[in-house]
């Protein structure tokens, strides 16, 4: 496939000037997938944590022979379609989402809007995107999560990762009273160097804890990762030429590997048509949607529907239990509950080895059954609805304690279920949830889903508790058992109790949150252990001259610009708007923003080692940055520390984002055991 791409005009945003980079980055991801990179082979490396239930379906056939011949299977896609088609649209501050939705509806195309926090904006006063989001749901669309604040998620420690992902899910569910199960990574930031697979695995585990089970992104990111998520592969984005888009659709439609593993074709990824960010207008979007609408035998759905159907397909089993005369009982086992699916999409049963006219009736005592009207060759398709006892919440509420502890700002989540009074608290080594039912009707079918960051075990992830009559109360607790290393608990621990229930005849959901101060990184981590000289304009910095000075034993004490402006070394610099408390402490802060271009920074520290040792120095952008220990240039990451204090200087060069320089907000540094690659925890960083 051709690799042509177009850059898009620069945006006015101070903080998000990265779109030309995203263009080349996205195309590289697409081409990697199209050129045959291996895809993840294991569909369910981890058994999903969910509740399931069983159903019995009775089929009556024209005769006993047909009943004996009939075979039953869950169709891979709803109504037996060959492919699913949808859209992924990101962001909620500069996009023209409402008009895009109208164009989609004209072509019968559905999709999911991956939104940030309801009032998030990177460079404007906080707004309120709630009313627009409600409009976007029209036409059978859905909303997914795109983080609260649109960060490079992999820059953050595990606790903030959880706050960003669980927080955006809870916020939109509470605002829209619609469940959210799908996520799209902001900045398409999944596995940057040097952490690569390790940080991807950490973020995936975090998304699972947040209640997300579906991703819309490129399959190439997961070539070596067993993926327990449902996945929607996405097409080249809005700034690709139409011929590239059409050829990628053809490839995705014909690919046998995608058909068997991820049979979704997703248009992507910003509704920027007729805006300053894109030189294409809505006529171009019309052409792309016409291409998708013309595909044969496809299911037009939103991403939540696709996710829920594929999870049912992969979890549910059918057993032909009993043949009595012309009747067959098919037992549907391990069907995921609606509370875990967060969508009511039916399950399609494919009846084969009999002619459609030989299937006389289909009945299920606890659910509606609908015969498909689609013409199929030697197959009958039956849509089995969920059990009548399975329902989505009609209202969803969020009770943050303390208020705005997730950094959502003031959002209107309504006054859902004011009769239910409760709180979640973190006390010592457990979570404590208390709830009182002040309603005149009973609280029944109460289920608690405990959600914690990955630094904690959740031995009883799902818990059922007793029914409550009016004025009755209950208390439930969940042990907090530390898991993994202390770094998984850096920063503020965010905890969630998701409560699903029936209050009288109404099914509802309430989220309760609380926080606990987690571990603080000591001075064996580089985050605050450096002084910074910069930012130095790139055109005014001489790397070779500076390297000669450092190797000669003289580190520059200051820097003066061409116009006489002087910069001096600053300990623990706080440049930029990125929240310092959220950063992974293996990073040394530089410009502190998500901008696409960085100027040059010099970083220095006195590193104390208890003995002489050989070390491996792992740094971001090793092909550009220069590292010096005691005046010696570190080559290929191999170096030595002397017993006592060692002078460490990093020249972190300015650059524009590209495939080689995907992260500029801070410099990753790990001084590690050269054999194991593990960080030395007995060294100490001190800025000077």
């Amino acid at each position: 496939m051709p690799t042509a791409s177009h850059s898009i005009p620069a945006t006015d945003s101070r903080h998000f000037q990265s779109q030309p980079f995203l263009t080349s980055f996205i195309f590289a991801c697409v081409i990697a997938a199209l050129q045959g990179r291996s895809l993840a082979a294991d569909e369910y490396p981890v058994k999903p944590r969910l509740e399931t239930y069983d159903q019995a379906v009775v089929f009556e056939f024209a005769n006993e022979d047909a009943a004996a011949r009939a075979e039953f299977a869950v169709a891979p896609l709803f109504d037996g379609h060959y492919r699913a088609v949808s859209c992924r649209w990101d962001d909620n501050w500069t996009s023209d989402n409402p008009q895009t939705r109208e164009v989609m509806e004209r072509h019968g195309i559905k999709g999911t809007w991956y939104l940030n926090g309801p009032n998030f904006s990177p460079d404007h006063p906080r707004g309120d995107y709630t009313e627009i989001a409600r409009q976007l749901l029209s036409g059978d669309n859905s909303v997914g999560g795109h983080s609260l604040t649109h960060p490079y998620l992999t820059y953050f420690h595990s606790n903030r990762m959880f706050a960003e992902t669980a927080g955006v899910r809870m916020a939109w569910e509470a605002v829209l009273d619609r469940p959210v199960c799908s996520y799209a990574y902001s900045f398409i930031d999944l596995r940057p160097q040097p952490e690569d697979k390790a940080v991807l695995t950490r973020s995936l585990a975090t998304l699972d804890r947040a209640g997300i089970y579906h991703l819309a992104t490129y399959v190439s990111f997961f070539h070596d990762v067993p993926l327990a998520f449902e996945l929607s592969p996405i097409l080249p984005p809005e700034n690709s030429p139409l011929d590239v888009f059409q050829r990628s659709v053809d490839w995705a439609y014909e690919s046998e590997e995608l058909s068997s593993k991820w049979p979704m074709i997703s248009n992507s990824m910003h509704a920027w048509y007729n805006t300053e960010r894109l030189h294409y207008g809505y006529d171009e979007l019309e052409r792309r949607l016409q291409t998708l609408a013309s595909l044969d035998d496809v299911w037009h759905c939103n991403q939540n529907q696709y996710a829920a159907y594929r999870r049912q397909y992969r979890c549910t089993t059918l057993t032909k239990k009993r043949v009595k005369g012309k009747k067959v009982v098919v037992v549907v086992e391990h069907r995921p509950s609606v509370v875990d699916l967060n969508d009511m999409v039916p399950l399609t049963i494919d009846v084969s080895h009999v002619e459609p006219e030989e299937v006389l009736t289909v009945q299920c005592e606890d659910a509606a059954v609908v015969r498909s009207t689609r013409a199929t060759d030697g197959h009958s398709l039956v849509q089995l609805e969920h059990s009548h006892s399975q329902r989505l919440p009609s209202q969803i509420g969020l009770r943050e304690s303390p208020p705005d502890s997730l950094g959502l700002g003031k959002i209107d989540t309504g006054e859902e279920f004011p009769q239910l009074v409760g709180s979640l608290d973190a006390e010592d080594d457990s979570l404590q949830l208390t709830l009182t039912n002040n309603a005149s009707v009973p609280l029944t079918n109460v289920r608690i889903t405990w959600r914690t960051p990955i630094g904690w075990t959740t031995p009883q992830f799902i818990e059922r508790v007793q029914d409550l009559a009016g004025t009755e109360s209950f208390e439930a607790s969940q042990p907090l058992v530390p898991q993994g290393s202390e770094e998984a608990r850096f920063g503020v621990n965010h905890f969630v109790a998701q409560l699903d229930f029936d209050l009288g005849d109404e099914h509802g959901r309430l989220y309760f949150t609380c926080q606990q101060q987690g571990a603080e990184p000591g001075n064996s981590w580089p985050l605050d252990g450096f002084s910074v000289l910069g930012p130095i304009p790139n055109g005014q910095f001489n790397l070779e001259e500076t390297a000669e000075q450092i190797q000669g034993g003289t580190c520059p004490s200051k820097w003066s610009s061409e116009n006489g402006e002087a910069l001096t070394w600053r300990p623990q610099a706080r440049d930029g708007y990125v929240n310092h408390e959220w950063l992974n402490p293996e990073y040394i802060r530089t410009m502190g923003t998500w901008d696409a271009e960085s100027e040059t920074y010099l970083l220095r520290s006195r590193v104390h080692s208890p003995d002489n040792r050989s070390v491996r120095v792992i740094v971001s952008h090793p092909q550009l940055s220069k590292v010096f220990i005691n005046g010696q240039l570190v080559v290929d990451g191999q170096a030595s520390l002397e017993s006592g204090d060692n002078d460490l200087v990093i020249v972190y060069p300015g650059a524009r984002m590209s495939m080689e320089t995907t992260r500029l907000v801070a410099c990753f540094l790990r001084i590690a055991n050269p054999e194991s690659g593990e960080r030395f925890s007995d060294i100490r960083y001190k800025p000077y």
Side-chain angles (χ1 to χ4, degrees), residues 348-576:
T348 300
I349 298 177
D350 184 345
V351 187
S352 60
H353 293 76
V354 295
E355 295 302 319
E357 59 269 19
E358 293 182 282
V359 183
L360 300 183
T361 63
V362 187
Q363 294 180 319
C364 180
E365 285 189 359
D366 72 339
V369 181
V370 179
R371 295 280 295 271
S372 174
T373 59
R374 294 186 67 223
T376 56
D377 184 17
H379 291 258
S380 293
L381 300 174
V382 174
Q383 319 302 354
L384 176 63
E385 301 282 354
H386 282 279
S387 169
H388 299 311
S389 64
Q390 299 284 316
R391 294 188 295 167
L392 289 177
S394 59
Q395 291 189 71
I396 304 175
L398 173 59
R399 310 276 177 86
E400 281 192 274
S401 177
D404 194 28
S405 51
L406 290 170
L408 293 173
K410 182 175 176 56
I411 61 173
D412 182 11
T413 60
E415 295 294 332
E416 285 83 0
F417 305 106
Q419 316 96 317
L420 302 181
V421 180
S423 65
L424 179 68
D425 297 288
E427 298 180 358
D428 299 324
D429 58 355
S430 69
L431 292 175
Q432 305 288 334
L433 176 65
T434 60
L435 189 78
T436 299
N437 177 22
N438 290 328
S440 59
V441 293
L443 184 73
T444 59
N445 297 319
V446 182
R447 189 187 102 162
I448 306 170
T449 308
W450 301 98
R451 303 198 178 281
T452 66
I454 62 174
W456 305 91
T457 60
T458 52
Q460 298 178 18
F461 186 71
I462 295 172
E463 180 179 354
R464 290 282 179 177
V465 298
Q466 78 252 26
D467 295 345
L468 293 183
T471 72
E472 289 187 340
S473 302
F474 76 75
E475 293 185 2
S477 64
Q478 169 72 13
L480 282 176
V481 181
Q483 173 177 277
S485 61
E486 188 179 60
E487 64 190 89
R489 292 176 295 283
F490 282 156
V492 176
N493 293 303
H494 296 273
F495 302 118
V496 178
Q498 175 185 325
L499 197 67
D500 289 275
F501 53 86
D502 291 321
L503 186 61
D505 294 329
E506 185 175 17
H507 185 62
R509 175 176 294 172
L510 280 177
Y511 287 105
F512 294 89
T513 75
C514 70
Q515 286 70 41
Q516 181 187 72
Q517 183 58 50
E520 294 294 337
N523 55 8
S524 70
W525 294 87
L527 177 65
D528 287 323
F530 280 77
S531 292
V532 172
L533 181 65
I536 302 171
N538 295 324
Q540 301 181 34
F541 179 74
N542 189 313
L543 178 59
E544 291 74 18
E545 182 180 297
T546 302
E548 288 181 6
Q549 284 184 275
I550 297 172
Q551 289 175 303
T554 304
C555 185
S557 60
K558 63 179 180 178
W559 175 85
S560 298
S561 68
E562 295 174 351
N563 61 10
E565 179 184 0
L567 296 178
T568 57
W569 288 93
R570 297 171 289 139
Q572 300 182 2
R574 292 292 188 270
D575 295 31

Side-chain angles (χ1 to χ4, degrees), residues 86 110-112 140-142 300-306 343:
S86 189
K110 302 174 184 178
T112 295
D140 205 17
N141 298 303
S142 63
H300 292 287
C301 59
N302 65 54
Q303 304 284 1
N304 287 21
Q305 292 169 331
Y306 170 79
D343 193 276

Side-chain angles (χ1 to χ4, degrees), residues 153-172:
L153 193 67
T154 54
Y155 265 90
F156 287 166
H157 55 60
S158 298
N159 272 326
R160 188 58 204 178
M161 277 189 180
F162 182 75
E164 290 281 339
T165 54
V168 74
R169 177 177 181 240
M170 292 186 294
W172 281 115

Side-chain angles (χ1 to χ4, degrees), residues 301-320:
C301 59
N302 65 54
Q303 304 284 1
N304 287 21
Q305 292 169 331
Y306 170 79
Y309 189 89
R310 289 294 290 178
R311 178 127 299 191
Q312 291 182 89
Y313 165 68
R314 297 206 288 172
C315 291
T316 306
T317 59
L318 302 183
T319 305
K320 185 179 178 180

Side-chain angles (χ1 to χ4, degrees), residues 15 17-22 24 152 187 591 593-598 655-664:
H15 306 325
Q17 296 177 343
S18 58
Q19 300 314 322
F21 153 71
L22 283 179
S24 59
Y152 278 78
F187 289 116
M591 69 177 184
T593 75
W594 309 125
D595 290 351
E597 294 191 42
S598 170
R656 180 165 183 81
M657 277 201 245
S658 69
M659 286 298 294
E660 289 73 35
T661 57
T662 54
R663 307 201 291 181
L664 302 167

Side-chain angles (χ1 to χ4, degrees), residues 41 53 77 139 151 200 266 281 328 376 403 595 627 655 673:
Y53 69 100
L77 280 177
L200 171 63
S266 293
V328 174
T376 56
D595 290 351
V627 182
N673 185 307

